[in-house]
Amino acid sequence: MHLKIQNTKIRSALAVFLTSTAFAVPAWAQEAAGSDSDVIVVTAQKREQNLQDVPIAINAIGNEKLDQLQVSELQDVVKFLPSVTIQQGGPGFAQVYFRGVASGENANHSASLPTVGTYLDEMPITTIQGALDLHAYDLARVEALAGPQGTLYGASSMAGTLKLVTNAPDPSGLYGSAGVEFNNVAHGDFGAIYEGFLNVPIAEGAAARLVGWYRDDAGYIDNVLGARTYASSGITQNNRLLVEENFNNAETYGARLALGIDLDDNWTIKPTLMGQVQNTNGSYAQERSGQTTGELQTVQYNPEGSRDKWIQGALTIEGKIGSWDVTATGGHLRRKTETQSDYSDYAYFYDALSGYGNYFYDNAGDLVNPNQYIQGIDRYKKSFGELRVASPADAPLRFIGGLFAQRQSHNIEQNYIIDNIADSITVTGTNSNIWLTKQKRVDRDYAAFGELTYDLTEKLSLTGGLRYYKFDNSLQGFFGFSGGYSSRTGEAACLNTDGSTRRANPAGKPVPILVDGSPCTNVDKSTSDTGFIHKLNATYKVTDDVLVYATWSRGFRPGGINRRGTLPPYGSDKLDNYELGWKTTFGAFRWNGAVFQEDWNNIQLSFLGANGLTEIRNAGVARIRGLEMDAGFRTGGFSLNAGFSYNDAKSQRDFCKIANATFNCSTAGNELLAPSGSRLPVTAKVKGNAIARYEFPIADWNGHVQFAVNHIGGRRSDLRPAQNSIKGNLDAYTTADFSIGVKKDAWDIEAFATNLFDTRGVVNTGVQCLETVCGTGKTASTPTGGAFYDVLVKPRVIGLKFSRDF
């Protein structure tokens, strides 16, 4: 197991418990379905199949390989998935993209749903702001399904699906494993990981699996001393009390309990309970070179960090009715994130531009420090259920289909605070809020789906799939300023029962408060729609080891509500995928690949509008043409695996602020956001990786040495040329990993280094400023400029791991 140890009795006791309660694991358990044996079994089409027989573009990394590649979190595994890109600002807050399907979304709580679905076993775990950052331990495999997976996986799988499949309880024996890792981050601190699992037979045909982990990620960014004076008031602030080296550390701990119970020869029940807590401190972005800081440094004037905790319960019942397989599955997820964010850059630059600081005074009428910070609490609930049936897999005519329902809610609370401001400009019901967002968002999805496959000959099969869907999404609550601070937005825009606002009719009867904690209600909207998506596939087996296929599939993403009440809801966007692929095995050599074209229509484009509020418009059309390949070779103790992707993703029509049938952005009130031919942001044209491993005997031990390299090409930071010129392009970078180790019987010892050459690759970038004046200056000393932040790949990590199977 990989955990971090700190000097506390609780953590020491946890390590002792996990070590002392582990038992023997038989050697075959390392080669279970989905591990790195010669045959990798996947469930991409909701049946167990050999990966080489699945006619879709899929990458799968098994249990052993995940450990060999030092994978502990989502961003670690994405390095080795050529079709996948991740963009994150820190642990727990990641957006995942497939095949360049990204428009540079402003991924906040009131914006679009993700384009990629993430599943934990049978349950979708994609919350409205992205996927859970699950610690990757005791996973049977990770499956990356590129291209629309809409017929089987639904709304949040428009561009692809990422499946995390856990190891199931095993009734064959009592065994377990435990391990420890110690590591050091270059330019930073020391960390460690502890992990362990215990598999226990509890009766004939029944077993339990208990898994636990604790991880301490060391910090490597320094918060250095800084001071600033607000131009309007002359008030000076500094961050002396927050200066700290390596202040962006993180702590992650959690557990999973799974049961597997065979009711009889045909029916099995599998309940699972899983939870995790992740605490982070500081910022994971350095201030860009050329500002007031050095490398791996930042100047933050308010505490930053997060606490992300979630618990998930799921139940799957599998059985047979006659010769047909029946699966009933459901689950419930609760997640709560508490965040602290420094917002003082915005206050400082806005003050320099407009005298912002002169608006903030206390009850005595004296000016106060306009320093601003955000405290957020986001509560998520997600429930789902699916019932499906599947005909015999060996019949010439095969069917799989079922019913699906899902409801996810997001209770949003964002407090924008300026300490000690007067009661008259404080949002009603808060202590010192200049702004409050208190909303409840609910997204509901219902579907009936099915795929039918017919073997025309022994070599040629045709598949048709259809998913009929309905979504019903709503947003209610409050956002904005107090009535004493703004006469137009916030409390002034709260609704009366006759449809008027408080500003227009102060004496009107207010509508009920719909979200607890709101001073009143100024948004109450919903949108719904129905439709269907399809899939057509032809698969031809040239030989038992060579398969080719052609697919036309479609995915969609539901529409939603713009929280600014004067804007209409935004509609669904859809992705059509045309793909030719191949799966081949020639003895010790494997070569798989696909060429594709994806047409993305009615794109949900999000951007900051008036008052810095996110707006979503169906604003354009894009086309992505690409190539994906992965290859593997093994002989004796040597193996070589490589993956590659090429994505040419461009807009096909002008992106207008307000969409219209002619794509004419010069109409009244409209604006050209990005001209036709603009390259889509976030995803590189070229991404690739290679892993070479050699295993050899050393006396009576088995040794290994491994080298891996990953390359990410250059990327745009924003679809819109004006904004991209402000933030800048993201340069290409290459990282390398190295490991060497020995194994004997139950013992495994390994030394490793990730990002061996300490590369400073930028994975995400952002700026705090007023969008209209960002480009006028790029240093903190330029009053009307902005503060630019780059999130980097983690610096070089050197570590030592010990594990023992029992």
Side-chain angles (χ1 to χ4, degrees), residues 621-641:
V621 175
R623 173 171 292 168
I624 303 105
R625 288 174 171 161
L627 166 69
E628 296 166 350
M629 291 190 296
D630 70 89
F633 175 75
R634 180 188 295 271
T635 179
F638 177 76
S639 63
L640 178 64
N641 293 277

Side-chain angles (χ1 to χ4, degrees), residues 255-428:
R256 173 168 60 92
L257 175 62
L259 300 177
I261 304 171
D262 294 334
L263 301 177
D264 56 28
D265 291 341
N266 291 325
W267 289 89
T268 299
I269 183 171
K270 300 177 181 178
T272 302
L273 183 65
M274 186 173 186
Q276 180 176 281
V277 177
Q278 186 173 69
N279 299 312
T280 72
N281 296 303
S283 168
Y284 281 76
Q286 72 169 19
E287 293 200 33
R288 186 172 297 176
S289 176
Q291 296 183 166
T292 59
T293 59
E295 191 174 76
L296 299 177
Q297 291 183 340
T298 188
V299 181
Q300 299 300 303
Y301 291 86
N302 295 287
E304 293 207 309
S306 65
R307 179 176 175 84
D308 182 5
K309 59 181 181 179
W310 55 267
I311 188 167
Q312 179 238 17
L315 176 65
T316 299
I317 301 172
E318 297 175 319
K320 285 184 175 294
I321 296 180
S323 61
W324 284 58
D325 295 323
V326 179
T327 302
T329 184
H332 183 72
L333 170 71
R334 293 198 175 205
R335 182 185 187 189
K336 179 181 179 183
T337 62
E338 300 172 81
T339 56
Q340 298 183 89
S341 304
D342 184 7
Y343 206 52
S344 62
D345 292 332
Y346 173 84
Y348 174 72
F349 293 117
Y350 198 8
D351 175 69
L353 177 72
S354 63
Y356 171 83
N358 288 324
Y359 298 109
F360 304 117
Y361 46 85
D362 59 20
N363 286 329
D366 298 323
L367 292 176
V368 299
N369 185 346
N371 168 61
Q372 192 169 157
Y373 57 96
I374 307 170
Q375 293 181 344
I377 303 176
D378 295 88
R379 296 177 175 87
Y380 307 86
K381 294 180 182 179
K382 187 183 188 85
S383 299
F384 99 104
E386 181 174 291
L387 175 65
R388 65 178 184 270
V389 296
S391 64
D394 56 356
L397 181 65
R398 300 178 294 281
F399 173 80
I400 184 169
L403 302 173
F404 174 88
Q406 174 180 268
R407 183 185 189 275
Q408 54 180 334
S409 66
H410 183 183
N411 193 307
I412 308 156
E413 180 179 330
Q414 299 287 312
N415 300 283
Y416 290 70
I417 300 170
I418 301 176
D419 289 330
N420 303 316
I421 56 174
D423 296 342
S424 60
I425 58 174
T426 298
V427 176
T428 302

Side-chain angles (χ1 to χ4, degrees), residues 30 40 117 124 137 247 252 284 322 423 510 651 681 699 707 741 765 805:
Q30 301 295 330
I40 296 181
Y137 177 66
F247 84 136
T252 305
Y284 281 76
D423 296 342
S651 62
F707 185 79
T765 191
D805 301 333

